[in-house]
Amino acid sequence: MPQSTPAPAEVRLLDGGYSREARSLLYHAYRHEPTYAYLFEAERPGFEQRVRALVRERVRQHFLQDLPALGLLVDDRLIGIALISPPVRRLGVTESWAWRLRMMLSAGVRCTRRYLEYRAALLACLPGDAVHILPLLGIHPQFQGRHYGEQLLAAVHDWCAADESSRGVVLDTGNEHYLDFYRRQGYLEIGEVAVGPIREHVFFHPAPQRIALAPA
């Protein structure tokens, strides 16, 4: 049978009122990711709680610091989200001592240290300072395979391109399943980060070229 046409999705700039929905969506998006399985020790009891803690604390701090987040909504249900760290604010979340303390209390010292080391290695791969970073993004598993991922990334690129100082967008993944998808969206692989046995691929999407107008 032919596939039904996906329901139209609305792009919306989110605020803290979407925090609960964002946490639930991102937990489902990341709990099976190989990078997070290593960082938060999937082989040890309590893994799902540790992933929930990371998502909860990142989302809470993101909205607390009034950082941008773009969402996709279908019939007012949040089905996709991208947290965005602008160039001048990207260190704000994990550099917060309050955030680190909450992470150590909820996810453990060792897992928190692993996560911070992974983020530091990622930042070392950046092609300069003037880039936006997507620390967390995802489409709810129930809505994957319907081209919502393409719509979400296109919205992110358009939003970030409004900042004329931005050189582009950076994201990363340790899931081999997503590599070709990001390449089809125009991302270039600019580095790799070793996360235990996982090879984390770092991707960069250049900002659109702006044409300088000659004076009249």
Side-chain angles (χ1 to χ4, degrees), residues 137-158:
L137 75 155
I139 302 294
H140 194 284
Q142 293 179 1
F143 292 84
Q144 291 178 1
R146 307 186 197 178
H147 302 289
Y148 290 123
E150 289 94 328
Q151 183 180 354
L152 178 60
L153 283 178
V156 167
H157 301 156
D158 289 343

Side-chain angles (χ1 to χ4, degrees), residues 141-184:
Q142 293 179 1
F143 292 84
Q144 291 178 1
R146 307 186 197 178
H147 302 289
Y148 290 123
E150 289 94 328
Q151 183 180 354
L152 178 60
L153 283 178
V156 167
H157 301 156
D158 289 343
W159 191 91
C160 294
D163 180 350
E164 295 188 359
S165 66
S166 177
R167 292 185 54 202
V169 178
V170 171
L171 57 78
D172 62 293
T173 183
N175 191 330
E176 300 285 332
H177 175 73
Y178 295 131
L179 300 183
D180 287 340
F181 168 75
Y182 288 131
R183 290 172 182 135
R184 290 196 303 271

Side-chain angles (χ1 to χ4, degrees), residues 38-114:
Y38 171 78
L39 291 173
F40 296 100
E41 301 178 337
E43 73 283 358
R44 190 163 59 86
F47 166 68
E48 291 190 352
Q49 288 78 9
R50 291 189 290 276
V51 174
R52 284 187 186 276
L54 179 277
V55 170
R56 180 183 66 246
E57 297 305 334
R58 281 229 61 143
V59 169
R60 174 160 62 177
Q61 195 72 10
H62 195 88
F63 285 124
L64 182 65
Q65 296 186 356
D66 199 27
L67 296 174
L70 286 184
L72 283 185
L73 292 95
V74 172
D75 296 328
D76 282 331
R77 177 184 177 182
L78 185 67
I79 61 100
I81 188 172
L83 303 186
I84 304 172
S85 294
V88 297
R89 302 287 301 280
R90 62 168 170 262
L91 295 179
V93 172
T94 56
E95 287 296 298
S96 163
W97 282 106
W99 180 88
R100 293 187 180 201
L101 179 59
R102 290 195 303 268
M103 276 296 297
M104 287 187 286
L105 291 174
S106 55
V109 174
R110 183 168 60 241
C111 292
T112 300
R113 183 180 298 117
R114 280 185 175 185

